[in-house]
Amino acid sequence: MNIFQFGGSVGARVWEIMSERKKEAPRAETLLQKLEARFGGRMPEEARRKVIVSYSIYQPMIIDAFTALRGREATPEEKERLVQYFICSGAFDDFVDRNELSPEDLDTISFAPENFQPRRIEEKMFLHCHLELRNFVRDRASYDQAARGLFRAQADSGKQSRPEPMSAEELLRITLEKGGYAVLLCHFYLDHDASEAERSCWYRIGGIIQLTNDLFDIWKDIQAGVQTLPNTMTDAHAFHAFLSARVREMMEIIGTLPVPKSRKRVFLLNMMAICSFSDMAVARLRRIQGAAPRLPDLKALPRKALIVDMEKPANIWHCMRYTFRQCRDGQRLFSSTKPIPA
């Protein structure tokens, strides 16, 4: 398959995701309305929008990619649980970012929910969804470990808004754990158990997604005084090498998934398409740096230099070429392994 034929496959996948988003957004809206009616209130519009947008993106891009490894689609019950998860995720972000709950209350509502007395509609809906999900989970020990990891990362992320400089190591840990555990938790809400390799893919793509979000938000985070790994980097070429190594590690793990090669190839395409966004954003910074040993002060650059326009043909073409190359390299990697019968 050449890159133009591959482009057709990618285009078909993009169209499928867009179509599914339009179908899934009403599902989230319907469940929100049902819960709001039950608890006698209405969530703030920004919070409602966050739930609907997050769920309708993740479902076709992430969840469908993982259920396809089993040769199936997500069930309506699984989708409802995932909407509940994004209600919890969005509400918890607001609890932390807006200091709406004390550290003690955050710990109680998360790990001793039976002792928490909700007052506002957001707390009531969080508590309900949190308990529903927790009661469904089969592997409670692993689930609680992942939830604790996410809780720690979200709590530690508050340091990113402080004026004291943070080390690159601390920023990296918070970034990878916050994104990794947030996505890893999703797999507990599906009807099947995941292999160790599959869990590693959940975690790793979550970390890459968080890095991508931070790359796209460099300008916004600088204005807000939030320290992130991307907006404090000094060498875009070194950052590119680091990111490429993370992607390569995940590619190698995909090669070990206990599924037929045909499913691995489709899964690889989905994962590499997601990774292409971060590569495209870093390529922009590499052009800014050029042959210089380090980047200029990002705080001194104009907004236009740091904003990523996903509608630009050059950026779309970059993502397609990147995904094509990664899938080609991945298939070569998979060819050295013994195929698993379908």
Side-chain angles (χ1 to χ4, degrees):
M1 180 183 295
N2 61 41
I3 192 169
F4 298 105
Q5 293 171 316
F6 181 81
S9 299
V10 173
R13 176 61 179 145
V14 170
W15 178 257
E16 180 183 5
I17 289 172
M18 292 173 63
S19 299
E20 288 300 312
R21 280 193 65 186
K22 292 180 180 178
K23 295 177 184 177
E24 295 302 333
R27 184 190 305 276
E29 174 71 31
T30 298
L31 183 58
L32 279 170
Q33 291 175 346
K34 177 181 175 182
L35 291 174
E36 287 170 336
R38 175 174 179 172
F39 294 109
R42 183 177 174 88
M43 290 180 70
E45 289 307 313
E46 183 180 351
R48 298 179 95 259
R49 186 167 59 252
K50 185 192 299 184
V51 171
I52 294 168
V53 171
S54 297
Y55 166 75
S56 63
I57 290 174
Y58 266 71
Q59 178 60 49
M61 287 192 70
I62 307 293
I63 309 304
D64 284 353
F66 278 92
T67 54
L69 285 172
R70 299 293 193 290
R72 70 176 184 86
E73 297 179 351
T75 66
E77 292 77 17
E78 288 173 320
K79 292 179 178 181
E80 180 169 324
R81 289 192 289 271
L82 287 159
V83 176
Q84 291 178 325
Y85 170 67
F86 283 104
I87 290 173
C88 290
S89 176
F92 194 90
D93 283 345
D94 289 342
F95 296 160
V96 174
D97 295 343
R98 299 174 183 174
N99 295 314
E100 293 177 344
L101 292 179
S102 68
E104 294 75 21
D105 281 344
L106 287 172
D107 189 89
T108 301
I109 198 172
S110 298
F111 303 110
E114 64 279 1
N115 297 328
F116 185 85
Q117 295 299 319
R119 299 175 298 278
R120 300 175 301 124
I121 181 69
E122 299 95 313
E123 295 168 9
K124 293 176 181 178
M125 290 179 63
F126 174 95
L127 199 61
H128 168 78
C129 293
H130 177 42
L131 289 171
E132 287 281 307
L133 294 172
R134 200 162 178 242
N135 290 334
F136 167 80
V137 169
R138 296 178 296 280
D139 185 354
R140 179 68 67 81
S142 296
Y143 179 71
D144 286 346
Q145 182 181 11
R148 283 281 182 188
L150 179 58
F151 181 89
R152 180 181 64 248
Q154 287 178 312
D156 288 347
S157 68
K159 302 175 186 176
Q160 294 177 253
S161 298
R162 297 175 185 172
E164 299 82 11
M166 297 179 65
S167 69
E169 292 75 18
E170 181 73 351
L171 285 171
L172 176 61
R173 179 189 67 79
I174 292 172
T175 302
L176 296 183
E177 288 186 355
K178 185 175 180 180
Y181 285 123
V183 174
L184 177 63
L185 282 174
C186 294
H187 99 273
F188 289 99
Y189 310 133
L190 301 181
D191 291 334
H192 63 256
D193 295 322
S195 66
E196 191 61 36
E198 190 177 338
R199 289 191 184 199
S200 183
C201 288
W202 281 100
Y203 185 84
R204 287 172 180 272
I205 196 62
I208 290 171
I209 288 171
Q210 185 61 52
L211 283 167
T212 303
N213 290 340
D214 290 344
L215 282 162
F216 275 60
D217 289 343
I218 286 178
W219 170 262
K220 184 184 78 172
D221 288 335
I222 287 175
Q223 304 311 304
V226 177
Q227 302 175 66
T228 65
L229 204 62
N231 72 27
T232 57
M233 80 170 78
T234 58
D235 187 343
H237 301 299
F239 192 88
H240 177 256
F242 155 75
L243 196 56
S244 296
R246 297 287 304 178
V247 173
R248 176 70 184 187
E249 288 169 3
M250 188 172 69
M251 187 188 299
E252 292 173 351
I253 294 169
I254 292 173
T256 70
L257 290 171
V259 300
K261 284 186 181 178
S262 59
R263 294 181 188 172
K264 287 183 189 179
R265 286 194 291 268
V266 175
F267 184 72
L268 178 68
L269 186 151
N270 284 311
M271 295 299 103
M272 294 303 106
I274 293 169
C275 294
S276 72
F277 299 128
S278 59
D279 189 84
M280 179 264 293
V282 173
R284 185 181 184 88
L285 296 173
R286 294 175 71 195
R287 288 193 295 272
I288 291 173
Q289 181 173 340
R294 57 188 293 130
L295 278 162
D297 183 0
L298 296 181
K299 295 178 181 178
L301 294 178
R303 178 179 181 275
K304 185 177 180 181
L306 297 174
I307 294 295
V308 180
D309 183 357
M310 273 306 302
E311 295 184 1
K312 288 183 65 174
N315 289 339
I316 296 172
W317 179 240
H318 179 104
C319 290
M320 286 183 58
R321 284 189 295 113
Y322 173 89
T323 306
F324 174 76
R325 289 195 302 267
Q326 296 298 104
C327 287
R328 179 195 60 199
D329 293 346
Q331 290 182 33
R332 289 172 180 168
L333 179 68
F334 300 163
S335 66
S336 63
T337 62
K338 185 177 180 180
I340 298 174

